[in-house]
Amino acid sequence: GQPLGILDGIPVAVKDNFNTAGIETTCASNMLKGYISPYNATVVQKLLDQGAVLLGKTNLDEFAMGSGSTDGVFGPVRNPWSYSRQYKEKNPSKSPSENEDSEWVITGGSSGGSAAAVSSFTCFVALGSDTGGSTRNPAAHCGVVGLKPTYGLISRHGLIPLVNSMDVPGILTRCVDDAAVVLGLLAGHDPKDSTTVQDTFKPFELPDSIDVRKLCIGIPKEYNVPGLSSEIQALWSKAAELFKDAGAEVIEVSLPHTPYSIVCYHVLCTAEVASNMARFDGLEYGHRADMKQSTESMYAATRREGFNDVVRGRILSGNYFLLKENYENYFVKAQKVRRLIANDFVKVFGSGVDVLLTPTTLSDAAPYVEFIKEDNRTRSAQDDILTQAANMAGLPAISVPAALSKRGLPLGLQFIGRSFQEKQLLTVAKWFEKQVKFPVIQLEDMKSHDCSGFPHQKSVSSL
């Protein structure tokens, strides 16, 4: 009967690579099938301490390796917008079952389950993880807000690691104000995570009246990449005009090493993956193969049975890059390129730019049948190209839904801010959100599920 905190009774969901005490944590992998953690991840515990109600764990690409949420053992995540009135009106089915069987679109990944949960009104807040865009990518495809905070601002303790030097817990909500509230609850030093900053974090409220006239918005020319759809380009230009018309200074800037970020990321990511996945050997916890000939054969069989092709492929690549004869040519060189990428951002923000405005994804969400025609590595390289550099530099970034495509699917734009300047970043994002008035998803079958009086069909929610 006593209030616990600001999230009393608020339904939340958590990506299934965050440890939850007493609840299975699988990373959508056979390797961790049946694994129940003895403790909560710090961010999960903070939500529960504030009175949040955990509705469940959400689907993802196995061990968060992917950009479509299609490669986990639970099967692919379907984007709720596939069943929206907006999408169905623009893409009428030839037969009643056709849309459901072949026309549904992906959520993006790897935090697709969390984005789908927020988008479909299942919960108000969901936690994702963001290593190369895994929170912002699905946020853009599902029409929700996806925030990746500055590296070190939120504890990673209890988040099963993918790339320790880039992983950040991400926040998915329906509006920017909600993201600011949750950030205030989760941010701050954690003695269990040595990578969190020591400085105390002061929670903040975003102002209702926002003046952007003193801001300088940077438009990085390198983000106009091959493959960027004409719709996204037009939306990006329109957003820049919005800021210009409101009195902000909008200038073109250059981040010259951005084109190298994906290759650099592939080397660093797979190297850290190889290291992190070494713990899953069938001895301490998780899956163990029924192989008794030798310890080595048990190791091999366990990892063959427990990991899918994507995970095994990244482990193989990472171990190749870390071989003694390759270490200097690949891993060390990639770390040097990472420093150049980070320095590009330092120079741009040092020149007076406050926030960068970029696209989040190359296009709207792809139909599942189209998405799976290409392999995971190719898809990840394409889909992370606009989001990944912020992870390399450890900068805060947020994707805000901006418009619907010609197919009736969400399109998002990304704002990248200075390190630990989340308040300024979220303030700019809130101003933009108020200008674009993104439409709320209209789920056609909500009435059949007795949701006709659901309050969020009319307006975006706020905690």
Side-chain angles (χ1 to χ4, degrees):
Q2 295 297 316
L4 292 175
I6 197 169
L7 295 184
D8 276 327
I10 298 293
V12 301
V14 172
K15 187 177 180 178
D16 201 22
N17 58 348
F18 287 91
N19 280 312
T20 44
I23 302 170
E24 198 175 6
T25 299
T26 69
C27 288
S29 174
N30 282 322
M31 184 59 85
L32 287 175
K33 184 178 181 182
Y35 169 68
I36 295 179
S37 168
Y39 69 97
N40 281 321
T42 296
V43 285
V44 173
Q45 191 60 53
K46 284 187 173 184
L47 290 177
L48 298 177
D49 289 345
Q50 289 293 326
V53 179
L54 178 60
L55 292 185
K57 307 293 286 290
T58 59
N59 199 358
L60 64 155
D61 288 298
E62 183 163 332
F63 281 101
M65 297 185 204
S67 62
S69 296
T70 58
D71 287 318
V73 293
F74 302 112
V77 185
R78 297 190 180 207
N79 192 324
W81 282 84
S82 309
Y83 309 100
S84 69
R85 190 174 294 123
Q86 293 101 317
Y87 179 67
K88 287 187 173 182
E89 285 175 355
K90 297 282 177 69
N91 304 272
S93 302
K94 292 171 186 171
S95 64
S97 63
E98 184 190 359
N99 187 281
E100 193 151 322
D101 292 340
S102 63
E103 291 302 308
W104 60 273
V105 298
I106 62 158
T107 53
S110 61
S111 307
S114 291
V118 175
S119 177
S120 60
F121 308 121
T122 307
C123 60
F124 283 82
V125 180
L127 293 183
S129 62
D130 197 309
T131 309
S134 290
T135 297
R136 289 159 288 155
N137 180 304
H141 284 329
C142 294
V144 298
V145 172
L147 170 65
K148 174 204 116 48
T150 306
Y151 183 84
L153 187 62
I154 294 184
S155 172
R156 293 186 297 111
H157 174 69
L159 168 61
I160 295 173
L162 175 64
V163 182
N164 303 60
S165 67
M166 298 182 209
D167 291 346
V168 182
I171 298 167
L172 290 142
T173 58
R174 288 183 219 146
C175 65
V176 177
D177 274 318
D178 288 6
V181 170
V182 178
L183 178 68
L185 302 176
L186 301 184
H189 177 66
D190 179 11
K192 295 174 181 173
D193 178 6
S194 60
T195 61
T196 50
V197 292
Q198 299 284 339
D199 302 343
T200 51
F201 179 81
K202 293 179 182 175
F204 52 81
E205 277 188 35
L206 300 179
D208 286 326
S209 178
I210 300 168
D211 185 3
V212 297
R213 284 178 293 184
K214 293 180 181 177
L215 288 177
C216 179
I217 308 294
I219 310 292
K221 63 182 181 182
E222 287 81 9
Y223 280 62
N224 193 0
V225 295
L228 191 65
S229 74
S230 56
E231 279 186 303
I232 296 279
Q233 283 181 321
L235 184 63
W236 190 16
S237 299
K238 189 178 175 184
E241 289 299 320
L242 270 178
F243 280 100
K244 201 178 287 184
D245 293 344
E249 183 185 3
V250 179
I251 61 171
E252 184 180 80
V253 297
S254 178
L255 299 165
H257 295 96
T258 298
Y260 308 111
S261 68
I262 281 294
V263 179
C264 175
Y265 174 72
H266 176 67
V267 174
L268 297 177
C269 170
T270 55
E272 292 199 40
V273 162
S275 173
N276 281 323
M277 296 296 118
R279 71 193 70 187
F280 302 109
D281 54 13
L283 290 179
E284 292 88 3
Y285 61 95
H287 176 69
R288 179 186 289 190
D290 187 21
M291 183 72 68
K292 298 182 173 66
Q293 283 90 329
S294 68
T295 306
E296 286 76 14
S297 63
M298 188 273 287
Y299 280 166
T302 293
R303 291 163 75 79
R304 184 178 66 248
E305 294 169 11
F307 293 137
N308 69 5
D309 291 345
V310 174
V311 178
R312 291 202 303 270
R314 292 202 190 189
I315 292 171
L316 194 64
S317 296
N319 281 322
Y320 175 79
F321 295 139
L322 292 173
L323 287 172
K324 186 178 179 182
E325 60 266 33
N326 296 332
Y327 185 79
E328 291 285 337
N329 284 336
Y330 290 101
F331 186 75
V332 172
K333 200 169 281 184
Q335 290 285 28
K336 290 177 179 177
V337 174
R338 180 178 183 176
R339 172 58 60 195
L340 294 173
I341 293 166
N343 285 343
D344 285 347
F345 285 103
V346 170
K347 287 174 186 171
V348 164
F349 287 126
S351 69
V353 172
D354 295 298
V355 175
L356 297 172
L357 169 63
T358 79
T360 309
T361 56
L362 295 173
S363 63
D364 59 7
Y368 175 69
V369 290
E370 294 295 322
F371 185 84
I372 58 173
K373 287 179 181 176
E374 290 183 290
D375 64 274
N376 177 289
R377 184 186 163 193
T378 304
R379 275 295 184 184
S380 296
Q382 291 170 346
D383 297 337
D384 289 347
I385 195 164
L386 301 167
T387 51
Q388 191 279 313
N391 292 81
M392 297 278 249
L395 297 173
I398 186 170
S399 179
V400 181
L404 292 183
S405 69
K406 291 173 187 171
R407 295 195 299 145
L409 293 171
L411 300 172
L413 290 177
Q414 175 180 231
F415 295 94
I416 303 173
R418 306 169 190 235
S419 289
F420 302 106
Q421 296 299 314
E422 269 77 4
K423 184 174 183 180
Q424 183 183 58
L425 177 69
L426 288 164
T427 301
V428 171
K430 180 179 177 179
W431 179 87
F432 179 71
E433 178 185 67
K434 288 172 79 172
Q435 308 308 307
V436 297
K437 296 183 176 66
F438 182 76
V440 174
I441 186 173
Q442 296 169 0
L443 292 171
E444 286 198 323
D445 56 355
M446 285 182 82
K447 288 183 181 177
S448 66
H449 288 91
D450 195 26
C451 295
S452 53
F454 212 77
H456 307 298
Q457 283 181 294
K458 293 181 180 176
S459 62
V460 174
S461 74
S462 179
L463 291 181

